[in-house]
Amino acid sequence: LAKTTQPISMDSYEGQEVNITCSHNNIATNDYITWYQQFPSQGPRFIIQGYKTKVTNEVASLFIPADRKSSTLSLPRVSLSDTAVYYCLVGDHPDTGRRALTFGSGTRLQVQP
Amino acid sequence: EAGVTQFPSHSVIEKGQTVTLRCDPISGHDNLYWYRRVMGKEIKFLLHFVKESKQDESGMPNNRFLAERTGGTYSTLKVQPAELEDSGVYFCASSQYGSSGYTFGSGTRLTVV
């Protein structure tokens, strides 16, 4: 499974846009890129998934360049409640091979008032 | 739609005792996974069920851990006998083919004293 690298921590202020970049140099052709959010005392929560270019939902946007060796999670106008750990994972495919996820250390986002 | 439910939320047992964790996946989800995070470490995969069959149990640490999913519905994870290093948070997740992401439960915090 492809290994991911992302910043250990990030700080932001309410109302700002936050971009968290993840590197996954050895991503496989069939691998999707998925981001999860985790609050203390809770399990990870699915945020967004994509394969290439740009994906947007009501929570975030995911930007994936053509070579797919990295991806950027964009959180528009963060609030205090967005303070959490964000994980970038590769390897899941929604239609086939729903195999084990490999979690890294994640990025701890701290949003200040 | 009910989410993934785990029981108990917390468990404190003595070394050498037995503990059974339960996970109720989202109804209709064929894929069920167990993960755990031990103190200060990353979330690690334990095993994956497809319906009642073990698809991948490569993450199970040793034979003191036994997972079952009779009838392909809920799953149990038994630790017998428990050791101090088994302390951590055990997460269950479920997914279905064709849908994005995995849904995690809130976890069971196991403390072995």
Side-chain angles (χ1 to χ4, degrees), chain A residues 34 36 38 41-46 49 87 92-105, chain B residues 31 33 35 37 42-45 48 56 91 95-107 109:
Chain A
T34 314
Y36 286 81
Q38 186 178 29
S41 301
Q42 293 187 25
R45 183 177 75 98
F46 171 84
Q49 183 177 68
Y87 294 98
D92 181 34
H93 190 295
D95 296 318
T96 66
R98 306 229 67 177
R99 55 185 187 271
L101 300 177
T102 300
F103 284 86
S105 300
Chain B
N31 296 281
Y33 314 79
Y35 290 81
R37 166 184 272 147
E42 299 168 355
I43 299 173
K44 294 292 187 184
F45 165 77
H48 171 200
D56 180 359
F91 294 105
S95 72
Q96 189 59 301
Y97 296 106
S99 62
S100 296
Y102 297 56
T103 302
F104 282 80
S106 295
R109 181 173 296 277

mmCIF file of all heavy atoms in Angstrom, chain A residues 34 36 38 41-46 49 87 92-105, chain B residues 31 33 35 37 42-45 48 56 91 95-107 109:
data_model
loop_
_atom_site.group_PDB
_atom_site.id
_atom_site.type_symbol
_atom_site.label_atom_id
_atom_site.label_comp_id
_atom_site.label_asym_id
_atom_site.label_seq_id
_atom_site.Cartn_x
_atom_site.Cartn_y
_atom_site.Cartn_z
ATOM 1 N N THR A 34 -8.203 9.266 -0.236
ATOM 2 C CA THR A 34 -9.300 9.515 0.689
ATOM 3 C C THR A 34 -8.791 10.294 1.890
ATOM 4 O O THR A 34 -7.699 10.046 2.375
ATOM 5 C CB THR A 34 -9.905 8.188 1.175
ATOM 6 O OG1 THR A 34 -10.106 7.306 0.067
ATOM 7 C CG2 THR A 34 -11.237 8.422 1.867
ATOM 8 N N TYR A 36 -9.776 11.572 5.845
ATOM 9 C CA TYR A 36 -10.617 11.377 7.007
ATOM 10 C C TYR A 36 -10.296 12.451 8.042
ATOM 11 O O TYR A 36 -9.184 12.967 8.108
ATOM 12 C CB TYR A 36 -10.385 9.998 7.634
ATOM 13 C CG TYR A 36 -10.972 8.851 6.857
ATOM 14 C CD1 TYR A 36 -10.311 8.315 5.754
ATOM 15 C CD2 TYR A 36 -12.200 8.300 7.223
ATOM 16 C CE1 TYR A 36 -10.855 7.273 5.035
ATOM 17 C CE2 TYR A 36 -12.745 7.242 6.515
ATOM 18 C CZ TYR A 36 -12.064 6.743 5.424
ATOM 19 O OH TYR A 36 -12.612 5.705 4.712
ATOM 20 N N GLN A 38 -10.634 13.208 12.289
ATOM 21 C CA GLN A 38 -10.870 12.543 13.568
ATOM 22 C C GLN A 38 -10.823 13.532 14.705
ATOM 23 O O GLN A 38 -9.842 14.260 14.876
ATOM 24 C CB GLN A 38 -9.852 11.430 13.818
ATOM 25 C CG GLN A 38 -10.152 10.623 15.072
ATOM 26 C CD GLN A 38 -9.192 9.488 15.298
ATOM 27 O OE1 GLN A 38 -8.047 9.539 14.904
ATOM 28 N NE2 GLN A 38 -9.676 8.452 15.970
ATOM 29 N N SER A 41 -11.691 11.124 20.989
ATOM 30 C CA SER A 41 -12.688 10.171 21.483
ATOM 31 C C SER A 41 -13.720 9.761 20.434
ATOM 32 O O SER A 41 -14.814 9.299 20.789
ATOM 33 C CB SER A 41 -13.422 10.745 22.714
ATOM 34 O OG SER A 41 -12.506 11.035 23.738
ATOM 35 N N GLN A 42 -13.379 9.942 19.177
ATOM 36 C CA GLN A 42 -14.257 9.487 18.105
ATOM 37 C C GLN A 42 -13.442 8.717 17.069
ATOM 38 O O GLN A 42 -12.221 8.833 17.015
ATOM 39 C CB GLN A 42 -14.955 10.668 17.431
ATOM 40 C CG GLN A 42 -15.944 11.399 18.320
ATOM 41 C CD GLN A 42 -16.719 12.440 17.557
ATOM 42 O OE1 GLN A 42 -16.889 12.354 16.344
ATOM 43 N NE2 GLN A 42 -17.212 13.451 18.262
ATOM 44 N N GLY A 43 -14.148 7.943 16.251
ATOM 45 C CA GLY A 43 -13.475 7.274 15.158
ATOM 46 C C GLY A 43 -13.277 8.222 13.990
ATOM 47 O O GLY A 43 -13.917 9.278 13.913
ATOM 48 N N PRO A 44 -12.385 7.877 13.077
ATOM 49 C CA PRO A 44 -12.202 8.711 11.886
ATOM 50 C C PRO A 44 -13.504 8.851 11.106
ATOM 51 O O PRO A 44 -14.308 7.917 11.054
ATOM 52 C CB PRO A 44 -11.150 7.930 11.075
ATOM 53 C CG PRO A 44 -10.432 7.099 12.094
ATOM 54 C CD PRO A 44 -11.474 6.731 13.105
ATOM 55 N N ARG A 45 -13.679 10.024 10.524
ATOM 56 C CA ARG A 45 -14.897 10.297 9.755
ATOM 57 C C ARG A 45 -14.516 10.636 8.323
ATOM 58 O O ARG A 45 -13.665 11.496 8.083
ATOM 59 C CB ARG A 45 -15.674 11.453 10.376
ATOM 60 C CG ARG A 45 -16.997 11.778 9.692
ATOM 61 C CD ARG A 45 -17.718 12.883 10.437
ATOM 62 N NE ARG A 45 -17.129 14.189 10.198
ATOM 63 C CZ ARG A 45 -17.594 15.085 9.312
ATOM 64 N NH1 ARG A 45 -18.634 14.765 8.554
ATOM 65 N NH2 ARG A 45 -17.015 16.257 9.172
ATOM 66 N N PHE A 46 -15.129 9.957 7.375
ATOM 67 C CA PHE A 46 -14.857 10.191 5.954
ATOM 68 C C PHE A 46 -15.196 11.627 5.576
ATOM 69 O O PHE A 46 -16.252 12.146 5.924
ATOM 70 C CB PHE A 46 -15.690 9.211 5.115
ATOM 71 C CG PHE A 46 -15.673 9.485 3.634
ATOM 72 C CD1 PHE A 46 -14.646 9.018 2.852
ATOM 73 C CD2 PHE A 46 -16.704 10.200 3.040
ATOM 74 C CE1 PHE A 46 -14.635 9.257 1.486
ATOM 75 C CE2 PHE A 46 -16.702 10.441 1.682
ATOM 76 C CZ PHE A 46 -15.674 9.971 0.899
ATOM 77 N N GLN A 49 -13.258 11.808 -1.134
ATOM 78 C CA GLN A 49 -12.464 10.832 -1.872
ATOM 79 C C GLN A 49 -12.395 11.246 -3.330
ATOM 80 O O GLN A 49 -13.374 11.768 -3.878
ATOM 81 C CB GLN A 49 -13.077 9.433 -1.756
ATOM 82 C CG GLN A 49 -12.291 8.321 -2.425
ATOM 83 C CD GLN A 49 -12.934 6.959 -2.200
ATOM 84 O OE1 GLN A 49 -14.009 6.659 -2.702
ATOM 85 N NE2 GLN A 49 -12.256 6.115 -1.419
ATOM 86 N N TYR A 87 -6.388 12.815 8.185
ATOM 87 C CA TYR A 87 -5.589 11.728 7.632
ATOM 88 C C TYR A 87 -5.786 11.648 6.124
ATOM 89 O O TYR A 87 -6.913 11.695 5.624
ATOM 90 C CB TYR A 87 -5.998 10.387 8.227
ATOM 91 C CG TYR A 87 -5.725 10.237 9.699
ATOM 92 C CD1 TYR A 87 -6.736 10.457 10.627
ATOM 93 C CD2 TYR A 87 -4.467 9.837 10.153
ATOM 94 C CE1 TYR A 87 -6.493 10.304 11.982
ATOM 95 C CE2 TYR A 87 -4.220 9.681 11.503
ATOM 96 C CZ TYR A 87 -5.236 9.917 12.411
ATOM 97 O OH TYR A 87 -4.997 9.759 13.747
ATOM 98 N N ASP A 92 -7.770 2.727 -1.178
ATOM 99 C CA ASP A 92 -9.146 2.263 -1.218
ATOM 100 C C ASP A 92 -9.706 2.463 -2.617
ATOM 101 O O ASP A 92 -9.332 3.395 -3.317
ATOM 102 C CB ASP A 92 -9.995 3.046 -0.215
ATOM 103 C CG ASP A 92 -11.435 2.595 -0.197
ATOM 104 O OD1 ASP A 92 -11.675 1.380 -0.397
ATOM 105 O OD2 ASP A 92 -12.317 3.431 0.005
ATOM 106 N N HIS A 93 -10.579 1.616 -2.988
ATOM 107 C CA HIS A 93 -11.281 1.759 -4.251
ATOM 108 C C HIS A 93 -12.740 1.467 -3.963
ATOM 109 O O HIS A 93 -13.063 0.419 -3.429
ATOM 110 C CB HIS A 93 -10.727 0.774 -5.292
ATOM 111 C CG HIS A 93 -11.237 1.021 -6.677
ATOM 112 N ND1 HIS A 93 -12.566 0.876 -7.031
ATOM 113 C CD2 HIS A 93 -10.615 1.412 -7.806
ATOM 114 C CE1 HIS A 93 -12.722 1.157 -8.293
ATOM 115 N NE2 HIS A 93 -11.558 1.491 -8.795
ATOM 116 N N PRO A 94 -13.630 2.393 -4.303
ATOM 117 C CA PRO A 94 -15.025 2.211 -3.890
ATOM 118 C C PRO A 94 -15.717 0.996 -4.481
ATOM 119 O O PRO A 94 -16.684 0.504 -3.924
ATOM 120 C CB PRO A 94 -15.699 3.513 -4.352
ATOM 121 C CG PRO A 94 -14.791 4.087 -5.379
ATOM 122 C CD PRO A 94 -13.408 3.644 -5.005
ATOM 123 N N ASP A 95 -15.221 0.510 -5.616
ATOM 124 C CA ASP A 95 -15.930 -0.581 -6.262
ATOM 125 C C ASP A 95 -15.245 -1.935 -6.122
ATOM 126 O O ASP A 95 -15.884 -2.958 -6.220
ATOM 127 C CB ASP A 95 -16.127 -0.277 -7.752
ATOM 128 C CG ASP A 95 -17.006 0.944 -7.947
ATOM 129 O OD1 ASP A 95 -18.012 1.048 -7.208
ATOM 130 O OD2 ASP A 95 -16.694 1.778 -8.797
ATOM 131 N N THR A 96 -13.965 -1.941 -5.928
ATOM 132 C CA THR A 96 -13.242 -3.210 -5.829
ATOM 133 C C THR A 96 -12.214 -3.121 -4.718
ATOM 134 O O THR A 96 -11.837 -2.048 -4.292
ATOM 135 C CB THR A 96 -12.505 -3.539 -7.144
ATOM 136 O OG1 THR A 96 -11.480 -2.564 -7.351
ATOM 137 C CG2 THR A 96 -13.456 -3.559 -8.310
ATOM 138 N N GLY A 97 -11.781 -4.263 -4.251
ATOM 139 C CA GLY A 97 -10.660 -4.318 -3.311
ATOM 140 C C GLY A 97 -10.791 -3.393 -2.118
ATOM 141 O O GLY A 97 -9.905 -2.604 -1.840
ATOM 142 N N ARG A 98 -11.850 -3.507 -1.395
ATOM 143 C CA ARG A 98 -12.038 -2.645 -0.236
ATOM 144 C C ARG A 98 -11.172 -3.176 0.891
ATOM 145 O O ARG A 98 -11.659 -3.719 1.872
ATOM 146 C CB ARG A 98 -13.509 -2.607 0.154
ATOM 147 C CG ARG A 98 -14.389 -2.221 -1.016
ATOM 148 C CD ARG A 98 -15.355 -1.148 -0.673
ATOM 149 N NE ARG A 98 -14.703 0.111 -0.401
ATOM 150 C CZ ARG A 98 -15.362 1.221 -0.121
ATOM 151 N NH1 ARG A 98 -16.666 1.204 -0.091
ATOM 152 N NH2 ARG A 98 -14.730 2.348 0.131
ATOM 153 N N ARG A 99 -9.890 -3.028 0.714
ATOM 154 C CA ARG A 99 -8.975 -3.638 1.652
ATOM 155 C C ARG A 99 -8.634 -2.701 2.790
ATOM 156 O O ARG A 99 -9.214 -1.636 2.931
ATOM 157 C CB ARG A 99 -7.703 -4.056 0.906
ATOM 158 C CG ARG A 99 -7.026 -2.929 0.139
ATOM 159 C CD ARG A 99 -5.847 -3.465 -0.657
ATOM 160 N NE ARG A 99 -5.055 -2.424 -1.297
ATOM 161 C CZ ARG A 99 -5.303 -1.959 -2.511
ATOM 162 N NH1 ARG A 99 -6.305 -2.435 -3.199
ATOM 163 N NH2 ARG A 99 -4.529 -1.013 -3.028
ATOM 164 N N ALA A 100 -7.685 -3.145 3.579
ATOM 165 C CA ALA A 100 -7.326 -2.415 4.788
ATOM 166 C C ALA A 100 -6.802 -1.022 4.471
ATOM 167 O O ALA A 100 -6.129 -0.801 3.479
ATOM 168 C CB ALA A 100 -6.265 -3.192 5.550
ATOM 169 N N LEU A 101 -7.118 -0.103 5.342
ATOM 170 C CA LEU A 101 -6.584 1.248 5.250
ATOM 171 C C LEU A 101 -5.282 1.327 6.025
ATOM 172 O O LEU A 101 -5.131 0.692 7.061
ATOM 173 C CB LEU A 101 -7.572 2.261 5.818
ATOM 174 C CG LEU A 101 -8.948 2.340 5.171
ATOM 175 C CD1 LEU A 101 -9.817 3.339 5.913
ATOM 176 C CD2 LEU A 101 -8.823 2.705 3.710
ATOM 177 N N THR A 102 -4.345 2.110 5.512
ATOM 178 C CA THR A 102 -3.095 2.349 6.217
ATOM 179 C C THR A 102 -3.058 3.796 6.659
ATOM 180 O O THR A 102 -2.973 4.702 5.832
ATOM 181 C CB THR A 102 -1.884 2.054 5.303
ATOM 182 O OG1 THR A 102 -1.923 0.687 4.901
ATOM 183 C CG2 THR A 102 -0.581 2.321 6.050
ATOM 184 N N PHE A 103 -3.156 3.990 7.960
ATOM 185 C CA PHE A 103 -3.133 5.339 8.515
ATOM 186 C C PHE A 103 -1.709 5.766 8.810
ATOM 187 O O PHE A 103 -0.914 5.000 9.309
ATOM 188 C CB PHE A 103 -3.934 5.382 9.820
ATOM 189 C CG PHE A 103 -5.416 5.370 9.628
ATOM 190 C CD1 PHE A 103 -6.095 4.167 9.491
ATOM 191 C CD2 PHE A 103 -6.137 6.546 9.590
ATOM 192 C CE1 PHE A 103 -7.470 4.144 9.317
ATOM 193 C CE2 PHE A 103 -7.514 6.539 9.421
ATOM 194 C CZ PHE A 103 -8.175 5.340 9.283
ATOM 195 N N GLY A 104 -1.420 7.005 8.504
ATOM 196 C CA GLY A 104 -0.166 7.604 8.920
ATOM 197 C C GLY A 104 -0.388 8.366 10.211
ATOM 198 O O GLY A 104 -1.324 8.087 10.957
ATOM 199 N N SER A 105 0.469 9.330 10.445
ATOM 200 C CA SER A 105 0.373 10.112 11.678
ATOM 201 C C SER A 105 -0.694 11.197 11.596
ATOM 202 O O SER A 105 -1.122 11.719 12.612
ATOM 203 C CB SER A 105 1.718 10.755 11.990
ATOM 204 O OG SER A 105 2.714 9.782 12.154
ATOM 205 N N ASN B 31 -18.628 -5.424 4.245
ATOM 206 C CA ASN B 31 -17.252 -5.302 4.710
ATOM 207 C C ASN B 31 -17.212 -4.754 6.129
ATOM 208 O O ASN B 31 -17.822 -3.726 6.434
ATOM 209 C CB ASN B 31 -16.460 -4.358 3.811
ATOM 210 C CG ASN B 31 -16.331 -4.875 2.403
ATOM 211 O OD1 ASN B 31 -15.500 -5.745 2.126
ATOM 212 N ND2 ASN B 31 -17.161 -4.381 1.505
ATOM 213 N N TYR B 33 -14.361 -4.128 9.414
ATOM 214 C CA TYR B 33 -12.942 -4.057 9.744
ATOM 215 C C TYR B 33 -12.765 -3.755 11.229
ATOM 216 O O TYR B 33 -13.575 -3.058 11.832
ATOM 217 C CB TYR B 33 -12.254 -2.934 8.966
ATOM 218 C CG TYR B 33 -12.596 -2.864 7.498
ATOM 219 C CD1 TYR B 33 -13.791 -2.292 7.074
ATOM 220 C CD2 TYR B 33 -11.729 -3.373 6.537
ATOM 221 C CE1 TYR B 33 -14.110 -2.223 5.729
ATOM 222 C CE2 TYR B 33 -12.047 -3.309 5.184
ATOM 223 C CZ TYR B 33 -13.239 -2.733 4.793
ATOM 224 O OH TYR B 33 -13.554 -2.670 3.463
ATOM 225 N N TYR B 35 -9.733 -2.101 13.695
ATOM 226 C CA TYR B 35 -8.480 -1.364 13.798
ATOM 227 C C TYR B 35 -8.223 -1.084 15.279
ATOM 228 O O TYR B 35 -9.137 -1.156 16.093
ATOM 229 C CB TYR B 35 -8.564 -0.015 13.075
ATOM 230 C CG TYR B 35 -8.633 -0.092 11.577
ATOM 231 C CD1 TYR B 35 -9.830 -0.361 10.932
ATOM 232 C CD2 TYR B 35 -7.497 0.120 10.802
ATOM 233 C CE1 TYR B 35 -9.900 -0.431 9.550
ATOM 234 C CE2 TYR B 35 -7.553 0.057 9.416
ATOM 235 C CZ TYR B 35 -8.758 -0.215 8.802
ATOM 236 O OH TYR B 35 -8.821 -0.278 7.434
ATOM 237 N N ARG B 37 -5.675 1.558 17.988
ATOM 238 C CA ARG B 37 -4.602 2.508 18.229
ATOM 239 C C ARG B 37 -4.113 2.281 19.655
ATOM 240 O O ARG B 37 -4.873 2.448 20.609
ATOM 241 C CB ARG B 37 -5.058 3.950 18.085
ATOM 242 C CG ARG B 37 -4.038 4.932 18.654
ATOM 243 C CD ARG B 37 -4.524 6.354 18.615
ATOM 244 N NE ARG B 37 -4.192 6.977 17.372
ATOM 245 C CZ ARG B 37 -4.936 7.893 16.769
ATOM 246 N NH1 ARG B 37 -6.059 8.273 17.297
ATOM 247 N NH2 ARG B 37 -4.544 8.427 15.650
ATOM 248 N N GLU B 42 0.130 4.960 15.672
ATOM 249 C CA GLU B 42 -0.833 5.189 14.613
ATOM 250 C C GLU B 42 -1.942 4.143 14.662
ATOM 251 O O GLU B 42 -1.793 3.090 15.256
ATOM 252 C CB GLU B 42 -0.129 5.152 13.258
ATOM 253 C CG GLU B 42 0.938 6.229 13.117
ATOM 254 C CD GLU B 42 1.823 6.022 11.915
ATOM 255 O OE1 GLU B 42 1.679 4.996 11.228
ATOM 256 O OE2 GLU B 42 2.666 6.899 11.650
ATOM 257 N N ILE B 43 -3.038 4.453 14.014
ATOM 258 C CA ILE B 43 -4.129 3.499 13.896
ATOM 259 C C ILE B 43 -3.671 2.363 12.995
ATOM 260 O O ILE B 43 -3.199 2.590 11.877
ATOM 261 C CB ILE B 43 -5.379 4.167 13.295
ATOM 262 C CG1 ILE B 43 -5.858 5.306 14.206
ATOM 263 C CG2 ILE B 43 -6.488 3.146 13.094
ATOM 264 C CD1 ILE B 43 -6.980 6.141 13.611
ATOM 265 N N LYS B 44 -3.816 1.143 13.500
ATOM 266 C CA LYS B 44 -3.334 -0.027 12.767
ATOM 267 C C LYS B 44 -4.478 -0.978 12.443
ATOM 268 O O LYS B 44 -5.352 -1.223 13.270
ATOM 269 C CB LYS B 44 -2.286 -0.777 13.581
ATOM 270 C CG LYS B 44 -0.995 0.001 13.799
ATOM 271 C CD LYS B 44 -0.221 0.180 12.522
ATOM 272 C CE LYS B 44 1.144 0.795 12.792
ATOM 273 N NZ LYS B 44 1.884 1.061 11.529
ATOM 274 N N PHE B 45 -4.428 -1.523 11.269
ATOM 275 C CA PHE B 45 -5.400 -2.507 10.808
ATOM 276 C C PHE B 45 -5.227 -3.823 11.549
ATOM 277 O O PHE B 45 -4.094 -4.272 11.781
ATOM 278 C CB PHE B 45 -5.210 -2.711 9.309
ATOM 279 C CG PHE B 45 -5.879 -3.931 8.739
ATOM 280 C CD1 PHE B 45 -7.253 -3.933 8.514
ATOM 281 C CD2 PHE B 45 -5.155 -5.063 8.436
ATOM 282 C CE1 PHE B 45 -7.874 -5.055 7.971
ATOM 283 C CE2 PHE B 45 -5.772 -6.183 7.888
ATOM 284 C CZ PHE B 45 -7.142 -6.172 7.653
ATOM 285 N N HIS B 48 -10.195 -7.876 8.416
ATOM 286 C CA HIS B 48 -11.253 -7.493 7.505
ATOM 287 C C HIS B 48 -12.150 -8.699 7.244
ATOM 288 O O HIS B 48 -11.665 -9.759 6.853
ATOM 289 C CB HIS B 48 -10.617 -6.988 6.197
ATOM 290 C CG HIS B 48 -11.549 -6.753 5.062
ATOM 291 N ND1 HIS B 48 -11.113 -6.694 3.754
ATOM 292 C CD2 HIS B 48 -12.894 -6.542 5.017
ATOM 293 C CE1 HIS B 48 -12.139 -6.451 2.953
ATOM 294 N NE2 HIS B 48 -13.220 -6.372 3.695
ATOM 295 N N ASP B 56 -8.964 -10.807 5.354
ATOM 296 C CA ASP B 56 -7.574 -10.449 5.634
ATOM 297 C C ASP B 56 -7.425 -10.317 7.138
ATOM 298 O O ASP B 56 -8.085 -9.469 7.741
ATOM 299 C CB ASP B 56 -7.220 -9.123 4.929
ATOM 300 C CG ASP B 56 -5.797 -8.677 5.176
ATOM 301 O OD1 ASP B 56 -5.041 -9.353 5.894
ATOM 302 O OD2 ASP B 56 -5.424 -7.611 4.631
ATOM 303 N N PHE B 91 -11.179 0.299 17.094
ATOM 304 C CA PHE B 91 -12.192 0.856 16.204
ATOM 305 C C PHE B 91 -12.714 -0.228 15.275
ATOM 306 O O PHE B 91 -11.979 -1.089 14.810
ATOM 307 C CB PHE B 91 -11.610 1.975 15.340
ATOM 308 C CG PHE B 91 -11.189 3.197 16.092
ATOM 309 C CD1 PHE B 91 -9.853 3.471 16.321
ATOM 310 C CD2 PHE B 91 -12.144 4.092 16.566
ATOM 311 C CE1 PHE B 91 -9.463 4.614 17.010
ATOM 312 C CE2 PHE B 91 -11.759 5.232 17.258
ATOM 313 C CZ PHE B 91 -10.424 5.497 17.485
ATOM 314 N N SER B 95 -18.044 -0.877 5.378
ATOM 315 C CA SER B 95 -18.162 -0.235 4.076
ATOM 316 C C SER B 95 -18.947 -1.149 3.145
ATOM 317 O O SER B 95 -19.133 -2.339 3.420
ATOM 318 C CB SER B 95 -16.780 0.054 3.476
ATOM 319 O OG SER B 95 -16.145 -1.140 3.052
ATOM 320 N N GLN B 96 -19.400 -0.536 2.057
ATOM 321 C CA GLN B 96 -20.107 -1.313 1.056
ATOM 322 C C GLN B 96 -19.533 -0.996 -0.302
ATOM 323 O O GLN B 96 -19.112 0.137 -0.543
ATOM 324 C CB GLN B 96 -21.608 -0.985 1.096
ATOM 325 C CG GLN B 96 -22.465 -1.903 0.239
ATOM 326 C CD GLN B 96 -22.367 -3.359 0.628
ATOM 327 O OE1 GLN B 96 -21.308 -3.971 0.626
ATOM 328 N NE2 GLN B 96 -23.500 -3.953 0.950
ATOM 329 N N TYR B 97 -19.493 -1.963 -1.171
ATOM 330 C CA TYR B 97 -18.993 -1.745 -2.513
ATOM 331 C C TYR B 97 -19.852 -0.689 -3.220
ATOM 332 O O TYR B 97 -21.063 -0.678 -3.096
ATOM 333 C CB TYR B 97 -19.020 -3.041 -3.322
ATOM 334 C CG TYR B 97 -18.098 -4.097 -2.770
ATOM 335 C CD1 TYR B 97 -18.600 -5.192 -2.097
ATOM 336 C CD2 TYR B 97 -16.713 -3.983 -2.913
ATOM 337 C CE1 TYR B 97 -17.759 -6.161 -1.578
ATOM 338 C CE2 TYR B 97 -15.861 -4.948 -2.401
ATOM 339 C CZ TYR B 97 -16.390 -6.034 -1.733
ATOM 340 O OH TYR B 97 -15.556 -6.987 -1.216
ATOM 341 N N GLY B 98 -19.181 0.180 -3.936
ATOM 342 C CA GLY B 98 -19.878 1.205 -4.696
ATOM 343 C C GLY B 98 -20.062 2.509 -3.961
ATOM 344 O O GLY B 98 -20.459 3.503 -4.563
ATOM 345 N N SER B 99 -19.789 2.529 -2.681
ATOM 346 C CA SER B 99 -19.920 3.769 -1.913
ATOM 347 C C SER B 99 -18.541 4.229 -1.474
ATOM 348 O O SER B 99 -17.636 3.428 -1.279
ATOM 349 C CB SER B 99 -20.818 3.568 -0.695
ATOM 350 O OG SER B 99 -20.265 2.622 0.181
ATOM 351 N N SER B 100 -18.399 5.526 -1.311
ATOM 352 C CA SER B 100 -17.101 6.078 -0.959
ATOM 353 C C SER B 100 -16.847 5.995 0.534
ATOM 354 O O SER B 100 -17.728 6.258 1.339
ATOM 355 C CB SER B 100 -17.026 7.547 -1.396
ATOM 356 O OG SER B 100 -17.119 7.656 -2.793
ATOM 357 N N GLY B 101 -15.649 5.643 0.871
ATOM 358 C CA GLY B 101 -15.225 5.733 2.254
ATOM 359 C C GLY B 101 -15.727 4.619 3.148
ATOM 360 O O GLY B 101 -16.520 3.762 2.756
ATOM 361 N N TYR B 102 -15.229 4.640 4.337
ATOM 362 C CA TYR B 102 -15.578 3.690 5.381
ATOM 363 C C TYR B 102 -16.236 4.473 6.510
ATOM 364 O O TYR B 102 -15.865 5.610 6.783
ATOM 365 C CB TYR B 102 -14.324 3.017 5.941
ATOM 366 C CG TYR B 102 -13.538 2.174 4.957
ATOM 367 C CD1 TYR B 102 -13.066 2.693 3.765
ATOM 368 C CD2 TYR B 102 -13.241 0.847 5.244
ATOM 369 C CE1 TYR B 102 -12.337 1.930 2.878
ATOM 370 C CE2 TYR B 102 -12.512 0.072 4.379
ATOM 371 C CZ TYR B 102 -12.053 0.622 3.194
ATOM 372 O OH TYR B 102 -11.321 -0.135 2.319
ATOM 373 N N THR B 103 -17.164 3.846 7.201
ATOM 374 C CA THR B 103 -17.790 4.470 8.365
ATOM 375 C C THR B 103 -17.242 3.802 9.612
ATOM 376 O O THR B 103 -17.353 2.580 9.752
ATOM 377 C CB THR B 103 -19.308 4.325 8.318
ATOM 378 O OG1 THR B 103 -19.811 4.903 7.118
ATOM 379 C CG2 THR B 103 -19.943 5.034 9.516
ATOM 380 N N PHE B 104 -16.657 4.618 10.466
ATOM 381 C CA PHE B 104 -16.065 4.111 11.698
ATOM 382 C C PHE B 104 -17.011 4.299 12.876
ATOM 383 O O PHE B 104 -17.799 5.254 12.923
ATOM 384 C CB PHE B 104 -14.768 4.865 12.011
ATOM 385 C CG PHE B 104 -13.589 4.413 11.201
ATOM 386 C CD1 PHE B 104 -13.429 4.851 9.899
ATOM 387 C CD2 PHE B 104 -12.652 3.550 11.734
ATOM 388 C CE1 PHE B 104 -12.334 4.439 9.137
ATOM 389 C CE2 PHE B 104 -11.549 3.128 10.994
ATOM 390 C CZ PHE B 104 -11.400 3.576 9.697
ATOM 391 N N GLY B 105 -16.889 3.390 13.827
ATOM 392 C CA GLY B 105 -17.546 3.579 15.111
ATOM 393 C C GLY B 105 -16.713 4.492 15.992
ATOM 394 O O GLY B 105 -15.612 4.915 15.613
ATOM 395 N N SER B 106 -17.225 4.780 17.157
ATOM 396 C CA SER B 106 -16.528 5.685 18.076
ATOM 397 C C SER B 106 -15.413 5.005 18.845
ATOM 398 O O SER B 106 -14.642 5.664 19.529
ATOM 399 C CB SER B 106 -17.516 6.309 19.053
ATOM 400 O OG SER B 106 -18.428 7.139 18.360
ATOM 401 N N GLY B 107 -15.354 3.689 18.739
ATOM 402 C CA GLY B 107 -14.270 2.959 19.369
ATOM 403 C C GLY B 107 -14.591 2.453 20.761
ATOM 404 O O GLY B 107 -15.512 2.926 21.438
ATOM 405 N N ARG B 109 -12.457 1.930 24.242
ATOM 406 C CA ARG B 109 -11.188 2.188 24.922
ATOM 407 C C ARG B 109 -10.945 1.067 25.917
ATOM 408 O O ARG B 109 -11.698 0.927 26.889
ATOM 409 C CB ARG B 109 -11.204 3.541 25.638
ATOM 410 C CG ARG B 109 -9.894 3.862 26.351
ATOM 411 C CD ARG B 109 -9.894 5.275 26.895
ATOM 412 N NE ARG B 109 -9.961 6.259 25.821
ATOM 413 C CZ ARG B 109 -8.918 6.682 25.135
ATOM 414 N NH1 ARG B 109 -7.707 6.215 25.396
ATOM 415 N NH2 ARG B 109 -9.079 7.587 24.186
#
